Structure formats: C-alpha cells, structure tokens
Amino acid sequence: MASAEEDFPRGGTAKKPTESKIVVQRSEVDNLFQSNEQAETKKRKGWVKDDAKKPKKQKTAKGKDDGLSLNAAAKCVEILHIKNVKEGMLMLGCVKEVADFEVTVSLPCCMQGFLSIKNISDSYTKLLSEQLESDDTEDICSLPHLFSPGMLIRCVVAKLDTAKGGSLSIQLSVNPKLVNKALTSSSLKAGMILSGCVESVEDHGCIVDIGINGSKAFLPMKEIKGEQNNLGELKVGQYLTPKVEEVKNEGRMIRLSAITQACAETEQGWNLTNLLPGLLVKATVKKVTKHGLILDFLSSFSGQVDFLHMEPEQASKYTEGTEVQACVLYVEPSTRLVGLSLRSYLVQPGGRLDTIPAGGDRISEVVKDCTMTAVHHMSGAILELPGKTLAFVHRNHLKEFNEPGNENKALAKPEHTCRILDFSPMDQIHFASLRRSVIERPFFRYHDLQAGKVVDGKVSVLLNHGMIVHLSDHIKGLVPRTHLSDIILKNPEKKYTEGLKVKCRVLSVEAENKKLYLTRKKALVESSLPLFLSYTDARPGCVYTDARPGCVSHGYIVSIKDFGCIVRFYNNVKGLVPLSELSSEAISNPEEVFYIGQVLKTKVLKCDPEKAKMLLSFKAAVEGETEEAAKPQVDCEVGKRLEAKVLKKLINGLEVVILPDEARAILPTMHLSDLVSNCPLLWESLQEGDNISNLVCFSRNKQQISLTKKPTVRWSLEEGQVAKDFSEITVGMQLIGWVKNVMSYGVFVEFPYGLVGLSPKSAMTDKFLSDTAAAFQTGQTVIAKVTNLDEEKRRFLVTLKISEVIPPEGDSVSRLINGLQERRVVAEMLAMRDNSEHCQPLASLSVAEKLKLTVDTVKDSGATFKSHDLVGVAILANKYHVMGVNLTPGQKVTAVVLHVDILSASVSVSILPKLLEKKKSLNEGSKYTAMVQHIDKDFAVLSLDGTAQLTVIPTRSHLNEVFLSESERLKGGMILAVEVIEPSCQELQGLPLVSWQRTAPKRQRTTSENQLGSKGHCFGKILQGKVRTVKPTCIQVTLEDGSTGSVHVSQVMEVEKVCQGSFPTSSVKVGSEVTARVIGGREASSHRFLPFSHPKYTYNIPELTLIPSKLDESVDFKPVTSKEKLNSYKVGEEITSFVSKFHPERKSLEVTTDPGVTGTVELLAMITNPKDASHPEKMYKLGQAVRAKVVEMSSKPHRFVLSLTGVHKLETGSVALGIVTNIQPQGLMVKLPFGGVGTVAVTDLADAYRPTPLDGYSKEQLLRCFLLGSENGKWQLSLRPSRLNPQQAKSVKDPEALSLDKLKAGQIIRGYIKSVGEQGVFIRLSRHITGRAQLQQSTKYFVNNHTVLSKHLPPNTLLTTKILSIDKEEEFVNLSLLPADTGKPDVLPESLNLPLRLIGEEKKKHDAETKKRKLSEGKQEQAESQVPKKKKKTKKAMADENDSGVEVYFREEEDKEDEEEQPKPVPAKPSSAGPSRLQVGAGFSWDVGLNSLKPAAAAQDGDSSDGEDQDGSGKPQKKSRHELEQEKKAAEKALVQREAELMDPNLRPEDGASFERLLLASPNSSLLWLQYMAHHLQATQIEQARAVAERALKTISFREEQEKLNVWVALLNLENMYGTAETLKKVFERALQFCEPMPVYQQLADIYAKCNKTKEAEGLYKTMVKRFRQNKAVWLSFGSFLLQQGQSDAASALLQRALKSLPSKESVDVIAKFAQLEFRYGDAEKGRTMLDKVLTSYPKRTDLWSVFIDLMVKHGSQKEVRALFDRVIHLSVAVKKIKFFFKRYLEYEKKHGTPQSIQAVKEKAMEFVEAKGTEAAN
C-alpha cells in the first residue's frame, strides 16, 4: 500500500506520513483495542484539534532542514497506536507464549505481535531446511528451546498482515540483518550492546550473527560459562544481546562479552538512524505534560515517555531538568519518533519480565466497582480496581464499537464495571474494556468454557473431518464428523450452511492449545442426565441432585471391538461396556448391532479414578429405566380433565402439581389459551398457589406430564378426535394441534400424545407464501389434515390449508366466548390482588358501557379524559372517535367503552354520537352492515349501523387463517356484513352474537331490495302479484311489496289438466293479476332451489305456486323436500314432466317434474324412429308437457332417469332402437336403451343373405332391433324385416335356423364361413348353429393343406351347402360343399390346376393294386396287416371324447407299409357315428411318408378294402420294371421330404400325433401345449382342449411357474369363451391356489376387459385393489381400465385411494403414471395439470420432466412444448442434466421449429453456460 502511495500520491503534494494510515481492522488477539479505524480516523479529524499538530511530521521536517540527525520534541504525548505502526519499525518486546512454530510477543502500549520460526536468523532457517530434507527430526531445535516467556528481545516489524476478520496482525522478526540494518562495520564501537543470533557453536566459543556484512562476531567460551552469565548450552539460532568488547581490523573482527546491559554513550556514535530498542540511555526531563514526559538523551535527541512507562511512585516527582535513566522502547526510523520507558524492570539489570502479574491470572474476569483515576486524551484511561490494582482502558474500549467517544462522560461516572482482557508484560499492567458487548459475553476465552456446557454458535465452515463453529469472534470449536447428528450424515452440507445458528454442547476444551471440541448430537445436547466430566463424577453410588442413586449418563460409542464397546463421555472420560453388558440378549458381533457415534444411556458398574478406568453397562441402564417405569405412577391419563395448583412460574410456562395426588406437571404458556394474545395475559395473572381448573393432560412420558388449557385441544381429546399412536394415523385424518416450531421450509405441528407432523411451506396456506414466519406463530392452535405417511421413518405430513380442513361446528363462536371469558378471568384475578387500587374498577368495566368523563387534553391524535372513579387510569380516544365533536379541556362528556387493558391500566373510548344514541333492539337473523371501531389483537369491536349497538368478533374467522399482508387484516373503519345469531348473548355480557363476512364495495340498492329489506316471505304465505315475464319454463311475478317471485312450469295448473304436448306457461298472460302461494325459495346467486327447513325461514326469491287446489288455506299445506318427492315415484309409473333443457353434446334431454326435481332422458329413450336422431330437440320444445315413464331413481347418488317412448325396460319380443358400438366378424355390437347391450349375429342381419353382410353398417349408426332374448346380461338381436315388421314382410329367402329340429338331412341351406381349419370348413347357419364340411366334402380337388382353402374362403363368405347328416346328441351338422351336392361351382377355382380326388371305380382299382402287391410279399404280412385294421375299425367306432391321441399314433405305425403304397387318397363317406375328432386330418398329404396319420376314410371303409384285398389276390396285376422304379424313387423322395419336415423347427404340427411327438421332447413348453389346445379348439373340440390343458398342468415341472401360468391363462380364456360363469369361477379359484394370486387376477381382468365384460372386470379390479392395496401395479392397471372405459372421474377417485393406500414414497410415481394414462386414454389437459402439480413439488425429478416433455411433444401444442422446455432449462439441478434438456430442446426445434427458434435455443444455452461460469468464478 505504501508503494502505491509513492507511485500515485493522493492529492498531489506529500502528505504527513502519519496520515497514510493503514486503515485496516486488527484482530482482538493481536490488539485488544480493536475498532473500526476507518470510522475512527474520520471522527478524530472532526473533534481533535491537536491532530493537525502531530509531532512526528515536525520532527522529520526539522531533521531534513537542519541536515542534523536530531528530532524535534513532541507537543502532545500519546501511546503508540497500532495504526501508527509501520514496517521496519524497531521495538523492544517480551516473549509471552512460545509455540512450536510461533512466538507470541508482547509489545509496548498493549500491543502484541507474532514471531514466526522463519524470521529468527538465516543460519537457523538453513539448519531447519537441511533437517527437513534429511528427515532427521530428532535433534531439531524447536522454538521452546530458543525462547522462554519473559525474555526481552529486540525486534523489527517485518510485515503487517490483514487477518481474516479484517484486523491487523503484526509479524515480527529478530533476524539480525533486519534489526541491525542501520549499522555498518565501520560504525561499530566497543561498549555497544547489540542483538544477534548464534550462527554456529565452535570448540572455544560460538560465532554470533549480528547481521552486519563483512563483520564476524565471536563470543568466547569463558564468557558463556562465566559465573555471572547464566546462558547454559547455546544452540544455533539462540537469541543473544552481547556487548562489543573489542573491534579489530576496521570492524571485520569483533569480540563479544556476555554483559547484556550497559549504558549507551555519546562516544559510541549512536544517531537516530541506527538507534536500537533496549538501549539504556541517560536522559534529562525537558518537559512534563499531563499525559507523559519529553526527554533529551544522548545530548541532542528528543524522545517521549507515555504515562504507561513512567514509574507510578515517581510520577508526581518528575520536574524539568531531572536526570533519569531510560530504556529505548521503540524507534520509528521514518518519522524519527523515539519512545522511552522509565520503568524500573526495564532500566535495572535483570533482563526478564513477569508474564503473570503478582495477583495471579485475572484475564476475562468481570470486575465491578472500579474507579477511573485518569483519562489520557487520545490514549485511554486508567482504572483502579478494588485492591488498588491498576488497569488501562484503551480509548476504543471506553465506548461501544460504533458509538462516538465521550471520555468526559466516562470519567464523570462514579463507578464502572469492566472486563479484564489481557495482561501486558511490557507495560506490567492489565488491559480492560468498558464495552457492554464485551462485558456481557458469556465467555471471553477458551478458559471460560467447561465441558458439558451448552453453547450457541454459528457455522463457519464444513471440512471433511467435521464442522467449524464460531462461538464468538475469536473462539471457535470443531464438531467432529461423527458428532454432526445423532446419525452419521452422508451429506452434511444439506443440513448445515454457513452462518446457520446452532446449539452445541462442549465435549472437551484444551485452553492452552486453544482446542475446543463440540457435539451436535441431540441426545447429548438435550440430555438431562448427570454429566461425567471426570472419573470421580462417575463413581457408582454417587447421589445426584435429583436424589437418584446409581450413575447413568449418556455416552457415545467411539470404538467397537470383539470384546465390547468403548464409550466416551466428556473431557475424554471413557470406559468399556463388555459383551455381557451390551444387551439382555446375547450379542456375538457388536458391529452388527451398534455403530460408532451412537449415543446410549450407560450405567457405571465400576470406576477407578486413580487408574482412569471404568466398567459400564447398557443393559443395566435399560433395566433401571424399566424398573423405574414399573414403580406406581400417578394415575394421569391423556385426555383426562384435571385441576392443578401453580407451584412455580417458569420463563415459558408454569410448574404445577395435579390435585389431589400432588404429581408434578408442566403447563406451557402457549397452552393457556387458543388465542396467542391471551397466553401471556393469563401467565401474568396467575400466581404461585393459584388453582387452575379445566386442564387436560395432552402428553406424558417418563420425564414429565404436559397439560393444556386450550379449549379446542381439550374438545378434540374429549371427543376422541385424536391419534394415540403413529399407527392410528391415516391419510385424510383431521387432527387438532398447535404450532411447535416455525422453520424456513414449513412448520412443525404437535398433536396430543407427542405426535409431531410437518406442514411444508406449500401446504400451509392457499395463498402464495414467501416467508413461513409471517403465517403462523409458535403455540397457535391449528386444524391439520394428514396428507402423507412415511411408515418406515414414522413421519407424516399435514396440510393447514383452509380449503382442505373442516373446522369443528361453532368453532368461531366458541373461540370468541372462551377468549373473552379468559380475559374476564385475568381482570378478576388482577383485581383481587392488593398491590394495585385501579384494577378493581377496571375489572368491572365492560365493552359498550357508558361513562361520564371530563376532557383532559385534546391533540391532533385524539383526546385523553379523566374520571373520579378511575384514578390512575389512562382514558384515551383516538382521532376517529372524537371526529366531528368539538372538545375543550374540562368539558364533561359521555363516552362508550371500546376496550379495557388491565395490564397497562388504559381504557379506549369513543364519543361518536352515533354510538351514544339509544340502543335499538335486534331480531334474530336480521342482517346489518357494521363498522370496525377498535382492534385488539385477536378481537375486534364492531358497531352495527343504525342501532347504536356494539359487539365483539374474533379477528380470525378460521383457526388456520393466515394474514400475509396488512390489507388482509381487519382494520378500524372497515365495513363488514353481519347477521345476528343471538340478540343478547349471556356469554358476551349482553352484547349481540353475530356472524360476519367482508362486504363488497357498497352499491345503491334497488327499490325492491329496499322494500324487501330483511322481511322475506315465509312458507305457505298467500300473496298477490302481477305477472312480469312469461318464459317456457317459468313465470316471473312482481309481488305487492316490490320483490320478485318465480313460478315453476309445473306449478301453473293442476297436473291432471295438463295436456300432452301443451305449454302450461302460455296460458298466463304478462300483466295479469295472480294469487300465488310461497312453496320455497331460490338462492339469489345460483338460483338453486332451497330445501324447506324452518317455518320462520324467509326466502329472498320466493318460489310460488298458482295451482288452485294449493291456494286453499283450509287445506293442510305441508312442505315436501326434493328427496321426498323423488322417493314418491315408482319405477314404471307414468308421470307428467316438462322439457327444461337439451344437452347437444350428450344428446340427452333434461325434464323437470317439480321445482326441485330434474330427470334425464337419453337419446334412445326419447325417439322411436332413427330418422329423428339428428335433431331430437325439434321434437321437444322448452316448457312442453310430456308423459314420461320412470326408468330408474335413487336419491343417493342422485339419479332420476325417464323414458318418453312409453317403455321403461327391455322385454323379449319387443322392438327397440340401438346404436352400433362395434363391428366384428361375427356380427354387430349394439348399445340399447336403459343401459342394455346386445349383439346381432351375421345370420340375423337380413332375410336374404348378402355376400358381404357387414357392409353398409357403421359405428354410431342407429338401428331398430328386435329383441330375441337375453343371455348373461347380453341381448340377442335381429334386424330381419320379418321380425321387425311381420305384417309387411315379403317371403324369406334364407329362413332362420332356430334349432336342429328345423333342419333335415339333404336340405340345401346357405350360411357364412366362420373359419377354415385342419378339421374342415366351419359354416355359421344361424346364431346358435355352426356346421362343418370336412375337407373331403369341401372340394372335388385334392388339397394337401387346409391353408389353400382358407386363402380362398375368408370369414363371412356366403356359401350354399347341403346337409349330409345331423347328430342331435352331439349337436353336429355335417355339410357338403361339393358341386355334385349343391349344384354350385366348386369353392376352389380351376386356375389352381389341383389334381382331382379319386372316387368310385378308380379308387377300387387303385386299392386292388395295392393289396395285390401286399400279398405277393407273403401271407404272414397280409395277416398281420389285416388284424390291426379290424381292430382299428372297432376302436374308431367307439372312439370317445377323452381319446388322448397318443394311442392312434402307435396304431398307425403298424400300417405304414400300406400308406407307402397309397399314392392317392380315397374320398370318404360320412360315418353315422359322427367324426372322431382326432381323425379329421383330411387336409394332409397322405403320400408324404412313414409317420403320417391315416385319413378317416381309410378307417371307415375298412370292410370294402378287406374285400378288395381278397379280390386282388385272385387277379395279380404285374407291374413293369419302370413302374416299380418310379414307385421306389417316389417313396424315397417322400422319405427325404418327411425327414426335412421333421427337422424343420418352424413347421407347425398339423395333427395330434405330431403334437404328442413334440411334447415328448419339450414337456415344459407352454407354447406347444397352447398350440395343441388351439388345434382342438379349431375343431370346436372343447373337452379335448380342456383335457390337454389339464395334462399340461400335471406334466409341466413345478419350477416352471411362468409356463404353468400361461396354461392357466389359456384355460381361463377357454372357459370365458366356451364355458359358463361357474366353470370359469372354478378354474380361477384353482389357479389362485397353484399360482401367485396377483398375476392370475390381472390376467382374468384383462380377459374380461377384452371381451367387453366391463361389469365383471370392474368387480374383479375392486377385489384386487382391496387384496393387493400395497401393489402399485394393481392401482395403475385399474386406473388404465377405467380411463379406457371413459370413466375419468372414477379414475381420479381411484388415484386418491391409491395415494392413501400406497407408501408415501410411491406417491410421486403413481401420480405421474396416472397422468401418463390420462394423456393416453383420458383427458390430456388433466394429465398435464397432474404432472405440473407433481413437478412443482418435486422439481428435481428430471426423469419425470423427460416423461412430461415426451407426452407434451405427442399431445400438446408447440407453444406449450416450448414453454415446458423453457421451464426445464431453468431448473436448479445438475449441469449435466440441464445439458441433456438443452440437447432435447435443440432436437425438437430442428424437427419442428424455424432457424430463428433454433438460434434462440442456442443463445439460451450460451447464456446458461456463461451464468454457470460466473457463478463458479464467484
């Protein structure tokens, strides 16, 4: 800084050197007179006149002018201030403390500096670095060997450092090169006393470094070992002040002696440049001043002695000319200022000072009754402490830190209290401070802290090993990492931030080393057990103040060993808990049970203080506790009403004893009332010995019983609206509690039984909240609703939002009454006390009481009054309450009391004339406007306009009401709307009880309103009126009093007289006079019809009737509620109703039967002709009378459904309108009226089948349907004209096949293809009957695979067929599609070039050839081959349903030779027994080789082939050689093909045998089993499919759970499609036993949903959410189902249930998933809102943000997507994540945006990166 001054001198001219002050604060450690020097110098410029005449400047000037080395005398002597200390200044110092690397040095004038190990001497620094490099640290010579406390040293200011707090730190050096800088070898003279450091130790002495170039100094050994010199053994770096004995070779060689003190002589050539501190000089007193002396020394030099360095005894004896011996204290080379000392301990030989004063160490002591003996201007003051000890107070410490100084004021005070800050060895005086802030500090230095003390501090910095906490400016402690919390914190930075205030407990303190260890463990900080500060504290059997024997204390585990745990207490007191004492249960491995840092109650078993050993036990501590608990306790249940007596008043409550048992309890101040303002009043009024009734215990534990007097909490406990334990809390539960703690992130709310919940900031109020402290006060009673539960951590969240909680009935009134009653109790109790005479008259005063007063003073702000009755009471009226009244002092007035404050003995009154008028009586229910006259915290006093009545209301209308701004609070002069509940309320001392609300700004009332006033009209009243308007649905009537009434369309004429289609209101003309009767009323705002309640209740908009029968007063006329009216209707009843509204979006009609009853009519129930569907509203006009039938009605939930078609339910044989909802291959799905659904089969669409039956039908199309019958809740419908209009129907081309009886064999019939499979072509003949044409009967061509047919015959192809046979038992119809039978072309076109099937003669010929060849191969083979054939034939005839198919496979083996020789298959004749299902493999190629199945025909023609064989044997036909070779080649080719097929894994098996073979290889493959089942189902072989499933379940290994589940699902599907509800239920129940229940439920639900069985699916889902309520997937699945069904509201309700049932940690994910489902199936806007809400609460969930973006990109507009991206990139999350979002934003813009928008994104990214860079730099 000095250099900067030289380069850029401020103001141009050279300034006084003293004024280039170093304007920096210094730490209190360096100088205890710290102040903000900047402020100080500015002040001094103002008030110190001497400042301009500082001596230093003059000295310099003089020196320069004269060219002499002399300095001028100072005008004013002052002590050396730290701000005047400069680098290079020489000082005499005294070693105060020596540490390993630093020496603390006491300097003159209360200052202190630091000498670093680096600033001793060059030789010592070199030695240190050598030793460090060689790692040989054994004989390192540390500072304590070189320096000792009390040693005087000459030092130089090496550097002025600025410490962390901005204060100055003086760095010193004793390096001879710097200290003796001004000396040269030529200026050295014998007799000089120099300072130096030992450079090296030689045999005959040592070489001393005196810092002068070219000079070597030697100190001989005899000098070192001399008797009078006690130097001991010298070491390198040791500091010495030897005397120069001899100078040789022009100063190159110097011999020293060990004499340390000698007087400096003029001859030695000293001048002001080389003068050294510590020199003794002879001096003459030149001038005596009030603040010190000015001396001349060494003939021509001037120096100053400040008051601290004058000998106290001699002080008065100094006169000018006195000769004295002085010691140089400091030299300022630049200003030539020399400070001297006359103190004997520096002048006399001895060279060592006392660092501890004679009276002992008194640092940090606070001393009272001190007198100020002297004040030294610019320096400070001297105090005399009791005991005649003197202390110095620096001028900065005479005043507070930022206050202006006034020394005279300080001197004028007779007595002072000071704190001793330090002791200065150099000045041999204590320094003290008069600052209040210093005196009031709880601890000033480390010595003041004791282990176990609870202290408050501020977090300074977090380190890896712990946290630094500052207890004051210069006392800091370490909280080790394990002590940051009761548990080990992974991220302590989240809990602790710099500057956070924390409460800690001192673990241990090492005052000498300034080491302080603290703990933040709550269990230790809040422990009320005795502390073990030493081993003696911990001896077993000690009796503590709480009179409990045995030593139990909280300790923390520091080490866990195999043999037990080591537990530490305070001051490193520790002991061992052996394995046997860890727990009552055996613990083998303690590490698994305990953790380091854990706090536990520990009992001392043995303690040996001498050996510092302790044996401890966890087990005994716990057992002792349980024993204690087992002792009989006072019977005090939570929730029980008690009476108690005040024992003692505490700061924050009352200590009471419960009567009559005398058990102690605590009644906190905040629990004295529901109203926060009443609590301190009640505390103030209660005295020790007072009895308190109506108390309730709200919590009790081992330590204490807590009581409350809050009426609301008492009510909740007595009503049982509490949770006794965490397990009883449920989401949605409402509890009454009180604010325990207000934090920045929310408030903690405490409830009875010690439960505490957190209300986060977002859940505290419906308003926007920035500061939580503004919303609620500690102790405030609140109503809370539980929103989230965390079972694991046993924590819960609550909401305090008024919109979400329901207050108890009459809460506001009871709070008002209780609050005022409490105030009266306070008044009475204060009045009963003797000490104040004005309390009694005040206690008798009440609001609205009138007083006779005398005006005392009148000011702009109001007036004050006097009264003879109220002596000593301040009676005030503010300016608003004297407005418009001229007052003069002494005038007599009447005033009305607004408020009485007993504590401050003041009364607020008003003399407004309108409040003093005669009171008018009030009626119950009447409404008024009221003005707020006075506000007193929780109460407001109102005046009711025009009545002169006053009343009191609570300022909060709801317990949880939050006022965030002044504008929201009630204020004087505010206008409210009130309604009188009780005209004179006993509890309010006769004042009216009112309900109130804020009013909108006043508007002029219409005449009708004015006339109506508060009169209204009662039920049953007959009125006269004039028709004002006539609308279709109502008539407006102006009544005689000017009010308006309404007549509903149903109340115009008798129901019996209303004609259908007429408009009743049109019979009344505008302007006509009518007589009407009141039957109810409507709300003015919503026009909702109000129910009748009270006969005196009046309606502002009366509902009237004009029906003559009701106008007869003699008839008993009773009110009928809407509910009663609704319940009077019966289903099917025909009633007259009136059209009131048409909803075009829902296409439904709203009709009304009564003023309060509205019903709905769906589209299908209002029209009978589909043509009317487009504009149904044209048929029904508003107000038209219609006859309707009641379809359904219920009051809970409110449903009233009507029909206008004359039908109210569906009946078989009737015709109804329907809407097509779905088109499927098997027909149409139709929605019917009254919630019905039905299906139309393709065969029921027309009387003459069309080739494309479903063309011409579309979704939402309206159809007339004939109801054939109902099955399982579904209707079978027909659209055939012959059914719908039997009279007009033409002849039916394709009649209905109603049953098998109607069909005959040989009949030609048309049908639609259902499917084509291996077993043949299935044809739908009617909705119940399906026939089958086997492949042989399907085409004349030979086809080797059914797929050829299925390609050419898609479903719903119209075919003509012939019935071959009918099996009525099995319900089979065998059909033929062959052209020969039907007379139609073949189903396959000729263009395919397929070979024809062999029939008749050709077949016989072919068979004969085969048999002949067989016989030639030998008789035996023939016999063998014949036997099985016969056997097969019989088997086939008997083949039953349960044939597994395995047997067939083996039987066919025997016939393989036959099969080889059958190149063409044989057409079959239908068997009478019906086809055995496994044989229908007809579409297969029979010439493919060995293992192929034989066709059914071969078995059926067994006889004929036998016969043919015999014929063939008679006429053998020779085959040519070429033919034989051809056959052989064909057989071989077939073999190769078959092998290839068997090896092909992709080829699907075509028959049972193939399946069986594959299943032998893979018995656990569910896929194969399912294909096998499907194979049977294609042939409608239901039983076989079931059998396969059962086999699969037995065969598949029990370990293959998924495979088994697949089969169960297939079985469920099968039962659903082909079985009954009972069979499905049985399979489902079995599946639940064998599988995981959850997937089975889910699969069945999916099956139901796919089949549109919505009711069943919904029922099943409801069971699932009850049974698996903890499973998130179930809720999501149900939600997805509901949304797919369009039940959005039900899905929302389900979400709320899910959130209550699932753990709270799942909530966010569940809401997010539901939102995604809303996007997919429901309302995208709703989904957006849900995700928005979640992300507002959890903005760091970047995964959810990603999902949200995806959904919005898919469903939202570009504007919305961009807005979302802009939100995301401003989140405060990891940079990496933001980068990812920027990438996505850019990709989106590249895909959907413009170049400008892409550029904008890039710019935003740049801004973000720059901002982050700036943050990092900061």
Side-chain angles (χ1 to χ4, degrees), residues 1297-1333:
L1298 297 174
S1299 67
L1300 291 178
D1301 302 339
K1302 297 277 167 65
L1303 298 178
K1304 297 190 285 291
Q1307 181 181 341
I1308 300 287
I1309 186 168
R1310 292 207 295 171
Y1312 292 107
I1313 289 190
K1314 184 179 180 183
S1315 64
V1316 179
E1318 291 173 15
Q1319 291 83 0
V1321 180
F1322 294 91
I1323 297 166
R1324 210 182 252 110
L1325 302 178
S1326 77
R1327 65 179 178 281
H1328 291 309
I1329 301 170
T1330 303
R1332 184 190 63 183

Side-chain angles (χ1 to χ4, degrees), residues 522-538:
K522 199 174 179 184
L524 288 176
V525 176
E526 295 183 357
S527 172
S528 55
L529 297 175
L531 310 179
F532 296 170
L533 306 178
S534 66
Y535 286 97
T536 49
D537 287 350

Side-chain angles (χ1 to χ4, degrees), residues 1546-1561:
N1546 300 325
L1547 197 70
R1548 197 170 162 185
E1550 302 290 352
D1551 52 15
S1554 311
F1555 276 114
E1556 294 294 351
R1557 188 183 65 254
L1558 286 170
L1559 285 169
L1560 279 174

